[in-house]
Each structure stands twice: as structure tokens, then as C-alpha cells.
């Protein structure tokens, strides 16, 4: 390619050097962004200045003014070594020794600052440090240079710098003899119904078909990966026959159709699979470069990007991974290539070809930064642009014609852009007969070690697991993904099915008295179709999922009493779920609905099934009866209450109308302003308005009005209430909804306030407009002190009202207090609402909406017995 015609020396650019080291997963100094990093940091400049270009940067402003070219993290390096690396071997090691150090805030170990390098025993550096030094030089493309290694206080180490040697080095040309053996150890994983199954379930640790040394958990005795260790062969074809024999043997030990053999880069996140190649030839720089250039890069052109780029960042993935062995050389960089026998044979033949001709295969663009970035990021499109040149070079070798037929499979996959399918059961590609039997791991709960220690749970013990009102015995095992999510647990398919919980749920856990409780599971009781509540329910279910709870929505008719199951709707769709641990009642009606007695259902769930309600039916009964609520609050909160009386005869209308000139007649059990009638006295007479039906009519006397209301009063008693002249904003009547909620400690908090505006005399769903309280109050009360005073009065009134209600009905979790400010700047209570709509999303107060949802869920969890503090 044109951009690679000139050789780039990476180490001439120190910032690029650090980028390349990081890309190759070599522990090294970390580059930082001065705009978002934690200070202090180190500022550096391009070029070689013997340490005179290094500045300690303490603030963001200093970083801007200092004029440095790039910035790195500040490390407390205690010792520093300078390792001379030539090709793949260590030649000398030096340690920085102080002579007469010049003062500097940052220790800079160079001759300029009074340090010198004293040669030390070549064996004084641990093997892993030496390996990092060799690989650090290798990935920069140098053949001879010096790698500086800094030792940190915790005895870990990082590469601090790399410099090219002034003495040139050319590796002796070592031709490979045609007769050498080729071997392999190749890993794969077991997937049972798409879930990781430990290989040690069926295979021993040692043997031709055994387990890799990686355990699911330290000292757990469960090994995640299976490993094939075939006999070496004199040819790729012989090795393939040995591998097929072992795959057949492995399949006979796992005779189940639902347990699949998965290979590739990373069948399960966090568990990389290697396809190591063993060669009976000595290692050399040209051999390693040739394998990276002509084997790893072509295979990367067909690997699955998502998993391949993850493996390349592990200790065995990436470029330049190898081990010296007594028999010769082991190449580690490749992922498990046994998915398909034709592809496996093609890769082995290519490996043989490269090993035979490595001395004549040039690595012209292997160390170009763009190539390395494309390799580690899984950019197959860019890598494919290199293929023409790679293929042409391979075809020029004298051995190409011998392997041309076998190589065609890999070459066609590259040229046809046909990537490897890592999700397939590799046994099918190898023609292995698979039994029709299914494997059941049993009732298993996998729990991370930290959680097991916290609750004194022992691996291998049998316990009881409770999800909602369902319970099942289960065996405790180690969780295989603790490194990724130490707070997650996993249930086997059989246990999930017995408990009726979805696969996608990773639950929270608590344990006491020999029982593990999951969740909690929260049931939202509502009427289908959910209509305007749909978005709210989806938001709650999503928040519950994020908090490792489980929420679903159902209506009374969805309850299967005989099976103790409920047909519900969750974020994953419809399903059969266990009776919940807590119920959030959003069903607005009582009595019979759709052939079901709603009140009886509530009573059975609460009394017989012992399920607590976030807001119990007793609260809804109180807030649904305006007169009862008025009488309760009169004793302590009369100052906030509009004058009200029960409508029992015409005198109630006459006296209230004479006193106030404007009254409202409201059904006691009404909601959403349905059935509310406004009555006003004017010189021209008495007028009444049905606000929902938009009827306006004049009546001659209050007796006539009473007669008109009498038929309605047979079904629902009515309340007569003074008309309140409410404070206005931009010509609209103003109300304030105060959301009061309990947290996980069951303490009342004010979650937020929303201003509700209407051009009508009564707030209706059609006329309501909602705005942020701050926007409205900043206009109505420009003075900050006055504004705070009014807000505090609203908050005080709400807290007091909630406390009085709770004394009457017992504990509950949320209440909306609807208030207004009248023409005398007095606060008046309009309504208390036990099932308020969430208005925060309408005013785009998304943080408050989330806070409200979290507080609701945390309170529900506390009702279910969870005592952990939640933010």
C-alpha cells in the first residue's frame, strides 16, 4: 500500500509509542486528557530532551498555559531499569543509580539529572518483566533497543520509555528444515441452552481431552474451558485427523443435543479461547513477525469482530504472543480455529507454509500504527485492503503449490467476505453424531464468592430460593462471571422455570434463615389497556431491571388463583410470573369490572396471600371519599381547607351560595373532575355549569337546582365547597402538585413540585398544562426570600397532611397533595391523590421522574424485607 512505502520509526514519537504499547496491552504509562483527568499530571513535549521537557502540572489552567504537547499520568516510580533487547532476547540489564540528583518535583532518572545506569545481573529481573520488555520492543517494530521499566510501590511495573539502539542489528537468516512437527492445544467451551456450562462437568483436568487451567472461581474446582491436546503430526493433515478423533471422543462424553461445543475468540464474555500452535523449530524474530503478518492478519479478516477484538486485548491475544518450549516454539496469538475442519486444515497449512518460508516473508506494514489499530479494533474492511499484497507474497513461495488446494478455503472466505460463525455447534461441522437426549444441570443458583461470604452461603449446599411467592430448593454454585459483574447471580433454566422468572432477569439477593430471596418482584395492578400509563409503567419496569428487581403489570383477570401464577407484561413481553412480593396498585376502580370483583381481589392478595401494597386499599378508600378526607384533615389542617359541607338539603346550597357567591358541587367519589358542577350567583340570577359536558344553564332558585341534582345523588353523595379564586399565571389558574414519597428507610421526602395551569375553572385532563415550578415561581415571586418562603409553606403543608393521613390509614408509600394559592395569598388544599399521574416527564424533569421511580421501588423493596441502603 502506498502509505506504507516508507518505514515509520514509532519510538521517534513518544506519544505514539505509548499509544502503540497501550493498544498492544503492554503495561505502560497512561496518556491522559487534561480537560477531564485528575491532577496532578505530567506534561511532555515532542522530541528527546533528556528529561528537560517534563513538567509537573497541578491544574487545568496550568495545562493550558504550559504549552505541553501531550500529557501522562503521574506515577510514584521507586526504581527504574533499562533493559537492552535484541530481537527476542535480553542482552543486558541496567538499574538507575543516583550519584548527585538535581532537585526536581518529579524524579527523572537521566544523566542530566545526576543518575547513571549500573549494569546488574541479567537474572535479577523477573521473567514476566523480561517478557514485557521483549514484547514492548517487538510491537514498536524495532530489532534492537532499550526498554525502560519502572517499578511501582505495589511491586507492579510499567514500561516508561523505549529507545532505539544506535548499533544496528540484523538477525541471522535461519532457514527452516521441511521436516518439522506441528502440534496444537485448542480450547472450546460448553454451552447448555445458550448458557455457560463448566467443562469440568464432563471432562477431567488432565488428558488428551481435558480442561484448561482457568477455573470459574479460584479454588472452586470448576473449570470453564475444555482443551484438546492432540498428538503432534508431521503434516497438517495428520494433525487434523488427531483433532477429529479427540472431538469425537469429547462428544461421546457429552451425549446431549442441548450442550453445544463453541469455539472462536470468546464464546462467553470474559473467557477467551485460544488455538495455540506448536512447532518443532526454534523461535526467531523473523518467524514471529511472519506468523503475525501472514497468519494472524489474514485470520483477523474473517473473525467475528465483536469477540475477536476482546480476545486480542487479553494476555494470550494480540500480536507477538509466543512461548519458547523444549520442543521449539509455541505461537499463542490465534483464537480457537476448530469451528470447521476445512478452515482448520487451511489454517494449519498456512501456518506450515509461513514457518517454512518465514526468512523470505517481509513484514513491511505489520508495525504501521494504522494496521495495528485496525487489527485490535477489528476493522475487517481495512485489513481486507492488505490481502492482495499478502496473498501475492505467499503465492511466490516455492511451497505454495503444495498447499494451494487446502489454502483455497481460507482464501475464499477472505475474498468473499464470509466471516466465521462462532455461534454454531462445531460438532455438526465435523460430522459428529449427536444424541437426541437433553441435559439438565438441575436446580442451580450461581452466586459470587463475595455474596456467599456475606450471607454465609457455602458452595455445594442445598438451600431454598424464593421469588415473589414461589419457592424452590436449589444447589449453590460459583458464579462464572464474577470478574465482570460481582453483584450478579444466575439461575439455571430448570430453576427459572420452577420459579417462573424470566431468563433476562439478574436478580438482587438477600438471605436469612436458610432462605435466599430474589428481587423483590413487584406487581403493578392496573386496567388494560394501560393507555396514558403505559410509558410510566415501562419506565418503572426498566428502572426495576436496572436495580436488579423485577416488575410486571397485570390486571385482576390475569390472576390464575389455582396455579398461583399471574399473566403479566414486563419489559421482555408477556409471561407467566409468580405472585409478587409487593403490589403497586394503579387500578383506579373498585367494585365489579370485567366480571371480577376488584375489591375482593385486593382483599385476597393483601389478607390471604399476605402481599403488602405500596399504597393500601384503605388509603384509596379515604382519598376517594372527599367528605371523609375533609373531616379527617379539619382537626389539624383547617387553615388549608376550603369551606365544605355534605349536600343533604336545599339549605346547604342556599347558605353556601349566599356566603361565597360561587360554589362547587362535587361527587364524593369523583375523579378527574368528572361530575363537578360550578354554581354562581349573579344579579341576573343563579347559573350552573356542568364542567365536563360543557352545559350552561340558568335556574331560578336553589331548590330547583337541588331537584336537578337529586337523581344524581342517589348513586353518589355530593359535597358543596366554596369557590376559590386561585392565583394566576399568564391568565391561567394555578395549582401546585406536591409529590410526597417514602424512601427505603420509610422516611417521608418531598420528591418534587409541578405547577398545573388551566384556563378552565376546574382542572381537567383536556385543559391541563404543566410547567416547572421554578419557571412559574421565578415570575410570580421575583424576590428569592419570598419565593423560598412560599415554597417552604407548601412543603410544610404537604408534610403535615401526609402525616395526618398516615395516622388514619397506616403506612403507605406515596401521595400527591394538590394545593393552590388563593386571592389572599393563603394556601388551600384542593385534593389528595393516592394514585397520581407522574407529571415530571411532561415538564421534561427527567431526573425527578427517575428519582420518583427509584424512591417508589426502594420503598417497595423495604416492604419486601430488603434492608440495604439505596441511593
Amino acid at each position: 500500500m502506498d502509505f506504507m512505502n516508507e518505514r515509520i520509526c514509532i519510538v521517534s514519537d513518544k506519544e505514539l509509542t505509548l499509544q502503540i504499547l497501550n493498544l498492544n496491552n503492554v503495561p505502560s504509562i497512561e496518556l491522559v486528557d487534561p480537560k477531564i483527568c485528575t491532577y496532578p499530571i505530567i506534561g511532555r513535549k515532542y522530541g528527546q530532551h533528556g528529561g528537560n521537557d517534563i513538567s509537573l502540572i497541578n491544574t487545568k489552567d496550568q495545562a493550558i498555559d504550559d504549552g505541553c504537547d501531550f500529557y501522562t499520568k503521574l506515577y510514584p516510580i521507586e526504581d527504574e531499569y533499562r533493559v537492552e533487547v535484541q530481537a527476542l532476547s535480553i542482552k543486558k540489564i541496567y538499574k538507575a543509580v543516583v550519584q548527585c540528583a538535581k532537585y526536581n518535583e518529579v524524579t527523572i532518572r537521566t544523566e542530566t539529572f545526576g543518575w547513571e545506569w549500573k549494569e546488574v545481573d541479567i537474572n535479577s529481573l523477573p521473567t514476566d518483566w523480561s517478557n514485557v520488555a521483549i514484547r514492548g520492543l517487538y510491537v514498536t517494530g524495532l530489532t534492537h533497543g532499550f526498554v525502560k521499566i519502572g517499578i511501582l510501590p505495589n511491586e507492579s511495573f510499567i514500561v516508561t520509555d523505549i529507545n532505539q539502539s544506535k548499533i544496528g542489528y540484523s538477525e541471522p537468516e535461519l532457514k527452516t528444515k521441511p521436516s518439522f512437527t506441528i502440534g496444537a492445544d485448542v480450547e472450546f467451551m460448553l454451552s447448555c441452552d445458550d448458557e455457560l456450562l463448566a467443562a469440568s462437568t464432563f471432562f477431567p483436568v488432565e488428558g488428551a481431552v481435558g480442561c484448561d487451567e482457568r477455573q470459574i472461581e479460584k479454588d472452586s474446582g470448576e473449570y470453564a474451558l475444555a482443551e484438546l491436546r492432540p498428538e503432534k503430526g508431521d503434516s497438517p493433515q495428520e494433525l487434523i485427523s488427531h483433532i477429529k478423533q479427540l472431538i469425537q471422543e469429547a462428544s461421546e462424553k457429552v451425549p446431549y443435543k442441548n450442550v453445544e461445543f463453541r469455539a472462536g475468540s470468546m464464546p462467553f464474555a470474559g473467557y477467551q479461547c485460544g488455538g495455540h500452535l506448536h512447532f518443532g523449530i526454534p523461535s526467531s524474530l523473523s518467524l514471529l513477525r511472519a506468523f503475525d503478518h501472514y497468519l494472524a492478519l489474514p485470520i483477523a479478516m474473517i473473525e467475528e469482530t465483536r469477540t475477536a477484538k476482546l480476545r486480542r486485548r487479553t494476555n494470550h491475544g494480540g500480536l507477538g504472543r509466543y512461548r519458547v518450549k523444549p520442543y521449539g516454539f509455541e505461537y499463542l496469538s490465534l483464537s480457537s480455529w476448530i469451528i470447521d475442519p476445512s478452515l482448520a486444515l487451511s489454517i494449519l497449512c498456512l501456518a506450515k507454509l509461513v514457518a517454512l518460508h518465514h526468512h523470505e516473508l517481509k513484514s513491511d506494514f505489520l508495525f504501521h500504527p494504522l494496521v495495528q489499530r485496525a487489527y485490535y479494533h477489528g476493522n475487517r474492511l481495512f485489513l481486507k485492503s492488505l490481502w492482495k499484497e499478502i496473498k501475492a507474497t505467499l503465492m511466490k513461495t516455492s511451497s505454495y503449490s503444495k498447499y494451494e488446494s487446502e489454502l483455497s478455503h481460507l482464501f475464499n472466505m477472505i475474498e468473499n467476505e464470509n466471516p466465521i460463525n462462532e455461534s454454531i455447534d462445531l460438532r455438526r461441522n465435523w460430522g459428529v453424531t449427536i444424541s437426541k437426549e437433553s441435559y439438565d444441570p438441575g436446580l442451580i443458583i450461581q452466586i459470587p464468592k463475595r455474596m456467599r461470604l456475606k450471607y454465609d452461603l457455602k458452595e455445594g449446599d442445598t438451600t431454598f430460593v424464593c421469588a415473589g411467592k414461589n419457592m424452590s430448593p436449589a444447589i449453590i454454585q460459583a458464579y462464572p462471571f464474577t470478574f465482570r459483574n460481582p453483584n450478579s447471580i444466575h439461575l439455571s433454566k430448570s430453576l427459572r422455570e420452577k420459579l417462573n422468572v424470566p431468563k433476562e432477569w439478574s436478580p438482587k439477593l438477600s438471605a436469612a434463615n436458610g432462605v435466599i430471596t430474589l428481587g423483590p418482584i413487584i406487581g403493578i395492578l392496573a386496567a388494560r389497556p394501560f393507555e396514558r400509563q403505559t410509558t410510566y409503567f415501562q419506565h418503572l419496569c426498566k428502572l426495576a431491571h436496572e436495580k436488579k428487581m423485577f416488575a410486571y403489570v397485570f390486571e385482576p383477570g390475569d390472576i390464575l388463583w389455582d396455579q398461583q401464577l399471574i399473566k403479566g407484561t414486563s419489559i421482555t413481553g408477556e409471561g407467566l410470573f409468580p405472585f409478587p412480593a409487593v403490589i403497586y396498585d394503579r387500578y383506579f376502580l373498585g367494585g365489579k369490572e370485567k366480571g371480577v370483583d376488584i375489591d375482593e381481589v385486593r382483599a385476597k392478595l393483601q389478607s390471604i396471600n399476605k402481599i403488602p401494597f405500596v399504597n393500601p386499599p384503605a388509603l384509596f378508600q379515604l382519598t376517594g371519599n372527599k367528605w371523609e378526607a375533609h373531616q379527617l384533615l379539619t382537626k389539624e389542617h383547617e387553615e388549608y381547607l376550603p369551606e365544605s359541607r355534605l349536600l343533604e338539603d336545599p339549605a346547604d346550597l342556599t347558605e353556601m351560595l349566599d356566603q361565597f357567591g360561587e360554589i362547587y358541587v362535587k361527587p364524593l367519589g369523583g375523579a378527574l373532575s368528572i361530575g363537578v358542577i360550578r354554581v354562581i350567583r349573579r344579579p341576573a340570577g343563579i347559573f350552573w355549569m356542568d364542567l365536563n359536558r360543557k352545559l350552561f344553564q340558568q335556574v331560578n332558585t336553589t331548590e330547583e337546582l337541588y331537584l336537578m341534582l337529586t337523581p344524581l345523588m342517589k348513586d353518589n353523595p355530593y359535597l358543596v365547597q366554596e369557590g376559590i379564586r386561585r392565583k394566576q399565571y399568564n391568565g391561567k389558574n394555578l395549582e401546585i402538585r406536591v409529590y410526597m414519597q417514602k424512601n427505603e428507610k420509610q422516611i417521608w421526602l418531598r420528591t418534587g413540585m409541578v405547577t398545573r395551569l388551566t384556563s378552565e375553572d376546574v382542572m381537567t385532563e383536556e385543559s391541563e398544562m404543566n410547567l416547572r415550578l421554578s419557571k412559574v415561581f421565578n415570575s410570580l415571586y421575583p424576590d428569592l426570600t419570598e419565593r423560598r418562603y412560599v415554597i417552604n409553606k407548601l412543603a410544610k403543608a404537604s408534610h403535615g397532611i401526609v402525616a395526618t393521613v398516615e395516622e388514619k390509614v397506616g403506612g403507605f408509600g406515596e401521595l400527591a397533595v394538590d394545593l393552590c394559592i388563593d386571592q389572599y395569598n393563603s394556601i388551600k388544599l384542593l385534593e389528595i391523590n393516592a394514585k397520581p399521574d407522574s407529571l415530571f416527564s411532561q415538564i421534561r424533569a427527567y431526573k425527578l421522574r427517575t428519582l420518583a421511580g427509584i424512591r417508589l421501588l426502594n420503598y417497595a423493596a423495604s416492604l419486601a424485607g430488603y434492608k440495604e441502603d439505596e441511593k
Side-chain angles (χ1 to χ4, degrees):
M1 299 184 68
D2 292 340
F3 72 90
M4 296 175 187
N5 286 339
E6 294 186 10
R7 185 66 183 270
I8 292 178
C9 182
I10 290 174
V11 297
S12 63
D13 183 336
K14 296 303 180 183
E15 182 181 21
L16 180 59
T17 300
L18 294 177
Q19 290 173 345
I20 291 298
L21 292 174
N22 177 264
L23 195 60
N24 283 274
N25 202 29
V26 175
S28 54
I29 291 177
E30 179 183 342
L31 291 162
V32 297
D33 183 344
K35 297 178 182 178
I36 58 174
C37 69
T38 301
Y39 286 86
I41 59 175
I42 297 295
R44 298 173 183 268
K45 294 182 179 179
Y46 298 134
Q48 302 283 352
H49 308 287
N52 290 301
D53 58 340
I54 296 177
S55 304
L56 182 65
I57 309 295
N58 292 296
T59 66
K60 182 177 178 181
D61 290 339
Q62 184 185 352
I64 295 171
D65 297 337
D66 197 82
C68 292
D69 297 317
F70 65 101
Y71 303 86
T72 63
K73 184 177 176 181
L74 174 63
Y75 291 89
I77 296 173
E78 296 195 341
D79 289 307
E80 198 162 6
Y81 292 85
R82 187 167 178 255
V83 184
E84 182 182 0
V85 181
Q86 191 178 83
L88 301 180
S89 63
I90 304 292
K91 291 301 177 183
K92 291 181 180 180
I93 299 175
Y94 305 86
K95 184 177 181 179
V97 178
V98 65
Q99 293 300 309
C100 183
K102 294 183 180 180
Y103 172 76
N104 194 290
E105 288 185 275
V106 182
T107 303
I108 303 172
R109 295 174 177 85
T110 66
E111 289 83 355
T112 305
F113 285 85
W115 293 73
E116 68 176 15
W117 295 100
K118 181 180 179 181
E119 186 174 353
V120 296
D121 183 3
I122 199 169
N123 297 315
S124 63
L125 214 60
T127 302
D128 54 345
W129 299 8
S130 300
N131 290 341
V132 164
I134 292 171
R135 188 160 183 270
L137 189 79
Y138 175 85
V139 298
T140 60
L142 297 181
T143 58
H144 189 191
F146 297 90
V147 180
K148 287 186 179 180
I149 293 181
I151 313 305
L152 303 179
N154 62 359
E155 297 187 355
S156 62
F157 62 96
I158 55 172
V159 172
T160 60
D161 195 12
I162 295 180
N163 294 291
Q164 188 172 13
S165 173
K166 296 178 181 179
I167 302 173
Y169 172 77
S170 179
E171 184 181 47
E173 186 175 295
L174 298 173
K175 293 185 179 180
T176 302
K177 297 180 180 180
S179 57
F180 64 88
T181 58
I182 183 169
D185 58 83
V186 196
E187 297 156 351
F188 65 93
M189 300 188 75
L190 301 182
S191 168
C192 181
D193 298 317
D194 293 322
E195 295 176 359
L196 188 155
L197 181 63
S200 53
T201 305
F202 302 102
F203 306 128
V205 176
E206 304 296 333
V209 179
C211 296
D212 178 77
E213 63 182 8
R214 282 167 282 179
Q215 296 186 58
I216 282 177
E217 188 180 86
K218 186 179 179 181
D219 301 325
S220 68
E222 293 184 276
Y223 295 84
L225 279 75
E227 186 172 73
L228 301 180
R229 301 159 183 142
E231 289 288 331
K232 62 181 179 295
D234 292 326
S235 68
Q237 290 82 357
E238 184 180 354
L239 180 57
I240 281 290
S241 68
H242 295 163
I243 292 172
K244 182 173 183 178
Q245 180 181 347
L246 294 185
I247 291 175
Q248 177 68 50
E249 182 181 325
S251 186
E252 290 171 358
K253 293 182 178 181
V254 190
Y256 304 105
K257 64 179 181 180
N258 65 326
V259 179
E260 298 183 340
F261 288 17
R262 300 275 182 88
S265 299
M266 196 170 283
F268 290 94
Y271 290 97
Q272 63 92 7
C273 273
H276 304 166
L277 294 174
H278 307 165
F279 300 94
I281 51 177
S283 61
S284 68
L285 180 63
S286 66
L287 181 62
L288 184 60
R289 285 181 170 181
F291 277 138
D292 280 345
H293 194 125
Y294 295 94
L295 186 60
L297 290 186
I299 293 174
M301 298 174 196
I302 60 168
E303 285 186 303
E304 187 176 305
T305 297
R306 179 183 60 84
T307 56
K309 65 182 181 181
L310 292 175
R311 183 182 183 275
R312 290 169 197 157
R313 298 289 290 173
T314 66
N315 289 334
H316 281 182
L319 300 172
R321 298 291 191 181
Y322 77 101
R323 275 195 293 247
V324 175
K325 290 289 186 176
Y327 54 76
F329 173 84
E330 182 180 14
Y331 185 59
L332 308 175
S333 293
L334 302 185
S335 61
S336 182
W337 34 264
I338 56 169
I339 291 175
D340 177 87
S342 297
L343 175 62
L345 178 58
S346 193
I347 288 172
L348 290 176
C349 288
L350 179 56
K352 179 85 173 185
L353 179 68
V354 171
L356 284 170
H357 299 279
H358 67 90
H359 57 283
E360 57 190 85
L361 298 175
K362 303 301 180 184
S363 304
D364 293 330
F365 45 75
L366 176 63
F367 301 106
H368 196 287
L370 291 179
V371 174
Q372 292 203 28
R373 186 177 67 179
Y375 176 76
Y376 284 103
H377 290 179
N379 187 344
R380 295 204 306 253
L381 185 64
F382 181 92
L383 294 176
K384 173 72 181 303
S385 67
L386 311 175
W387 173 240
K388 183 178 179 181
E389 195 168 334
I390 291 174
K391 182 181 178 181
T393 303
L394 292 170
M395 291 177 68
K396 291 177 183 176
T397 62
S398 59
S399 303
Y400 174 76
S401 59
K402 180 179 179 180
Y403 299 106
E404 182 176 5
S405 176
E406 292 85 351
L407 292 174
S408 63
H409 186 86
L410 172 61
F411 288 13
N412 288 337
M413 289 182 69
I414 295 171
E415 290 161 9
N416 296 328
E417 298 182 2
N418 181 23
I420 297 170
N421 180 7
E422 295 188 357
S423 63
I424 196 169
D425 184 349
L426 65 88
R427 293 178 298 177
R428 301 183 186 280
N429 288 338
W430 287 80
V432 175
T433 302
I434 302 173
S435 169
K436 294 183 179 180
E437 294 183 46
S438 290
Y439 178 74
D440 182 4
L443 302 171
I444 303 295
I445 180 168
Q446 296 174 326
I447 306 174
K449 187 174 185 177
R450 184 181 63 83
M451 285 189 188
R452 299 201 309 271
L453 292 174
K454 178 179 179 180
Y455 294 110
D456 195 24
L457 303 170
K458 293 180 173 55
E459 188 182 1
D461 283 1
T462 298
T463 187
F464 289 95
V465 179
C466 180
K469 293 299 177 179
N470 282 6
M471 182 178 283
S472 170
I475 298 173
I476 300 170
Q477 287 187 357
Y479 178 59
F481 300 104
T482 300
F483 55 84
R484 190 176 67 200
N485 193 341
N487 298 315
S488 285
I489 67 171
H490 181 75
L491 312 181
S492 66
K493 180 182 178 183
S494 297
L495 185 57
R496 288 198 309 268
E497 290 175 349
K498 189 159 186 180
L499 294 174
N500 291 103
V501 296
K503 177 181 179 181
E504 297 79 10
W505 182 36
S506 176
K508 187 186 294 185
L509 175 151
S510 69
N513 303 319
V515 176
I516 291 174
T517 303
L518 308 179
I521 295 177
I522 301 167
I524 303 173
L525 179 62
R528 299 177 190 274
F530 305 133
E531 295 177 339
R532 73 176 190 277
Q533 296 194 95
T534 299
T535 302
Y536 178 48
F537 293 162
Q538 289 174 342
H539 178 63
L540 284 179
C541 290
K542 182 180 178 182
L543 283 177
H545 181 78
E546 291 171 356
K547 291 176 63 61
K548 299 185 180 300
M549 302 177 185
F550 178 60
Y552 65 87
V553 193
F554 71 102
E555 64 178 358
D558 293 331
I559 302 174
L560 306 177
W561 296 101
D562 293 340
Q563 301 177 47
Q564 288 288 284
L565 295 172
I566 296 177
K567 293 185 290 184
T569 304
S570 72
I571 57 173
T572 57
E574 305 292 326
L576 279 177
F577 306 121
F579 275 38
V582 184
I583 287 178
Y584 181 42
D585 187 356
R586 295 291 299 182
Y587 205 102
F588 293 107
L589 302 175
K592 286 199 172 183
E593 180 76 12
K594 300 181 182 179
V596 179
D597 189 320
I598 311 303
D599 295 325
E600 180 183 355
V601 168
R602 290 185 174 117
K604 288 173 67 176
L605 291 170
Q606 194 172 28
S607 302
I608 298 176
N609 296 97
K610 306 297 182 184
I611 303 175
F613 279 55
V614 170
N615 279 3
L619 176 64
F620 187 43
Q621 291 167 7
L622 173 67
T623 59
N625 187 313
K626 292 181 174 60
W627 181 241
E628 184 181 348
H630 180 83
Q631 287 180 305
L632 171 67
L633 296 172
T634 297
K635 297 176 183 178
E636 297 183 34
H637 309 287
E638 187 175 8
E639 62 178 304
Y640 303 126
L641 302 179
E643 184 69 31
S644 305
R645 66 171 67 180
L646 197 61
L647 179 55
E648 295 180 323
D649 57 54
D652 296 316
L653 290 169
T654 302
E655 293 174 10
M656 290 286 285
L657 197 57
D658 288 344
Q659 183 177 355
F660 299 106
E662 177 180 356
I663 59 175
Y664 288 92
V665 184
K666 302 178 178 181
L668 294 190
L672 303 174
S673 300
I674 296 172
V676 176
I677 294 171
R678 180 190 180 205
V679 182
I680 58 174
R681 186 192 295 278
R682 294 286 184 267
I686 299 173
F687 299 88
W688 75 283
M689 288 155 277
D690 186 323
L691 299 175
N692 285 102
R693 293 187 291 173
K694 308 298 182 184
L695 295 177
F696 182 87
Q697 186 174 340
Q698 182 175 359
V699 294
N700 296 319
T701 65
T702 53
E703 288 79 3
E704 182 182 344
L705 176 61
Y706 186 79
L707 289 174
M708 296 172 65
L709 290 169
T710 301
L712 301 176
M713 292 166 59
K714 290 180 181 179
D715 298 325
N716 194 351
Y718 274 69
L719 184 76
V720 184
Q721 194 173 79
E722 70 168 293
I724 301 174
R725 295 285 102 193
R726 287 162 288 174
K727 197 173 206 51
Q728 291 194 334
Y729 173 77
N730 290 342
K732 296 182 184 295
N733 291 320
L734 168 67
E735 297 178 10
I736 303 100
R737 170 161 287 181
V738 183
Y739 282 90
M740 300 296 298
Q741 290 182 298
K742 278 185 179 175
N743 63 5
E744 68 280 354
K745 296 180 181 178
Q746 302 198 8
I747 297 173
W748 281 109
L749 299 170
R750 186 182 82 246
T751 298
M753 297 182 181
V754 176
T755 47
R756 309 170 73 200
L757 304 173
T758 179
S759 56
E760 306 288 343
D761 294 298
V762 174
M763 188 75 65
T764 63
E765 190 177 349
E766 293 77 16
S767 66
E768 178 180 356
M769 182 176 73
N770 304 304
L771 291 175
R772 287 178 180 263
L773 183 83
S774 57
K775 180 177 182 180
V776 175
F777 271 38
N778 287 349
S779 175
L780 295 178
Y781 304 102
D783 182 73
L784 177 61
T785 302
E786 183 183 10
R787 185 162 66 247
R788 286 178 176 173
Y789 174 75
V790 175
I791 292 174
N792 288 337
K793 282 183 66 179
L794 292 166
K796 181 181 178 182
S798 301
H799 274 278
I801 289 167
V802 165
T804 300
V805 172
E806 188 165 35
E807 287 179 8
K808 173 67 176 179
V809 302
F812 59 94
E814 69 175 2
L815 192 72
V817 182
D818 291 338
L819 303 167
C820 74
I821 302 170
D822 66 12
Q823 67 268 40
Y824 307 109
N825 280 324
S826 297
I827 292 174
K828 293 297 181 181
L829 174 67
L830 299 175
E831 189 176 29
I832 53 176
N833 194 331
K835 298 178 182 178
D837 283 342
S838 177
L839 303 180
F840 294 125
S841 60
Q842 295 182 26
I843 64 172
R844 295 182 174 83
Y846 298 116
K847 289 184 178 179
L848 285 179
R849 180 183 70 158
T850 298
L851 176 62
I854 288 173
R855 282 183 174 166
L856 174 74
L857 295 171
N858 287 346
Y859 174 71
S862 74
L863 292 180
Y866 283 84
K867 302 299 182 184
E868 293 178 295
D869 291 341
E870 297 286 348
K871 293 182 180 179

